[in-house]
Amino acid sequence: MAQTIFKRCEKKFLLTEGQYRAVKPLIERYMLPDRFTNYPISNIYLDTRNFDLIRLSLGKPKYKEKLRVRFYGTAAGEDSRVFVEIKKKFDGVVYKRRVEMSLKEARDYLEGDIYPAKDSQILREIDYMKNRYGLRAKAFIAYDREAYSGRKDPELRVTFDRRIRCRDSCLDFTAGDGGEELLEPGLVLMEVKIPGAMPLWMSREFSRQDIFMTTYSKYGTYYTRCLMPRGYAVSCPAAAVAGAAVTERRKGMQYA
């Protein structure tokens, strides 16, 4: 059964092709490739009419949240399995909860407000967020992923993402995974996902290879580089969304 609840720290690094080739043998020594490694991932991000959630997130608040739908694979059909995910970050820790359903169920729910037949606590949390902000599909982001998990600690994960591509039309997984590419040629986005501190062998090798942590949001980069210049930076009361985020945080972080 696919995992539905995650709690971890996520560190991001932009690598050159040379750094990728240098660090990969060490990753392979301490980690195992995913069963389905080198696979495409497609995501549809939901936001308000004026992109309030991503605009708030770009201000780097202590607390932020997002809602997306994720599909693993190349060719989606009505019966394909997708994940509707709610992701929150508080004080550097990422909390992710998701529910699995068919693509048709997800489309009916997110576009037609038809509540799925199989109810759950996580789905109710997703529904609360969707209705609270009036969220609708706003951006499609796909990439090709190479993934590894720790030999001794399966919760340690390292992923390499290439060909990050985005679009703001045809927001449906059945429309293929093409779009504008975000990464400069020769760059690879590496993410280290850890339940606690980074392993010593990893931090030593990253330091030796001059690999340093960076901040990189796929959706945020797409918004600032592609959507905002097209006139999507509409003036709106984003403070209202910020206030709602503070309220959620004060509830005690129900995802902890």
Side-chain angles (χ1 to χ4, degrees):
M1 180 179 294
Q3 187 174 354
T4 59
I5 300 175
F6 304 80
K7 177 185 176 182
R8 62 198 181 194
C9 295
E10 298 181 353
K11 312 295 184 183
K12 299 181 181 182
F13 307 81
L14 274 177
L15 309 184
T16 63
E17 192 64 39
Q19 288 173 318
Y20 164 77
R21 289 195 298 268
V23 79
K24 187 176 178 182
L26 189 74
I27 296 297
E28 292 177 331
R29 184 187 313 166
Y30 288 94
M31 307 186 75
L32 295 169
D34 271 6
R35 180 183 175 189
F36 300 107
T37 194
N38 292 312
Y39 51 86
I41 297 177
S42 298
N43 306 271
I44 295 174
Y45 285 81
L46 288 84
D47 211 323
T48 68
R49 181 176 64 86
N50 292 317
F51 294 90
D52 291 311
L53 292 184
I54 190 57
R55 292 172 59 206
L56 177 65
S57 177
L58 290 170
K60 302 189 185 305
K62 195 171 184 178
Y63 172 86
K64 55 186 177 181
E65 57 191 341
K66 66 180 67 171
L67 183 62
R68 70 188 177 196
V69 190
R70 171 166 287 188
F71 170 65
Y72 298 88
T74 54
E78 293 294 293
D79 295 327
S80 296
R81 307 307 291 176
V82 302
F83 294 92
V84 182
E85 304 180 341
I86 187 169
K87 186 175 182 181
K88 301 195 175 191
K89 186 174 183 180
F90 176 67
D91 211 15
V93 180
V94 173
Y95 305 86
K96 186 170 75 170
R97 294 158 76 82
R98 65 187 189 179
V99 292
E100 183 180 354
M101 61 184 73
S102 71
L103 174 57
K104 183 181 186 307
E105 286 177 304
R107 187 189 293 120
D108 288 346
Y109 169 54
L110 297 171
E111 297 179 5
D113 295 320
I114 300 174
Y115 198 83
K118 188 176 181 180
D119 196 12
S120 69
Q121 175 60 34
I122 297 176
L123 183 57
R124 288 191 289 272
E125 293 167 6
I126 290 170
D127 193 62
Y128 174 79
M129 181 180 178
K130 179 178 80 78
N131 293 326
R132 180 184 182 92
Y133 298 126
L135 303 181
R136 289 292 183 266
K138 301 297 286 187
F140 174 94
I141 300 177
Y143 38 90
D144 300 328
R145 170 162 289 182
E146 181 181 356
Y148 296 84
S149 57
R151 291 178 183 270
K152 295 183 178 180
D153 181 7
E155 291 190 28
L156 170 65
R157 287 180 55 79
V158 173
T159 60
F160 299 97
D161 294 340
R162 300 174 180 271
R163 295 187 60 239
I164 301 173
R165 45 209 185 270
C166 315
R167 64 176 187 257
D168 64 341
S169 61
C170 300
L171 302 180
D172 195 296
F173 296 131
T174 61
D177 64 1
E180 301 177 70
E181 295 211 11
L182 285 185
L183 284 179
E184 299 295 327
L187 291 183
V188 181
L189 178 63
M190 176 176 71
E191 295 187 32
V192 177
K193 304 169 185 184
I194 46 179
M198 183 179 293
L200 186 59
W201 61 265
M202 184 179 286
S203 60
R204 283 177 173 171
E205 181 65 13
F206 287 2
S207 178
R208 193 174 73 85
Q209 296 293 339
D210 291 327
I211 296 173
F212 304 108
M213 192 170 66
T214 188
T215 56
Y216 189 92
S217 162
K218 298 180 182 78
Y219 181 28
T221 300
Y222 179 49
Y223 174 76
T224 55
R225 187 180 298 178
C226 303
L227 298 179
M228 193 163 62
R230 296 176 191 164
Y232 286 104
V234 181
S235 176
C236 62
V241 176
V246 171
T247 300
E248 289 294 304
R249 184 189 68 192
R250 287 174 177 169
K251 288 181 178 178
M253 279 306 300
Q254 59 181 320
Y255 293 147

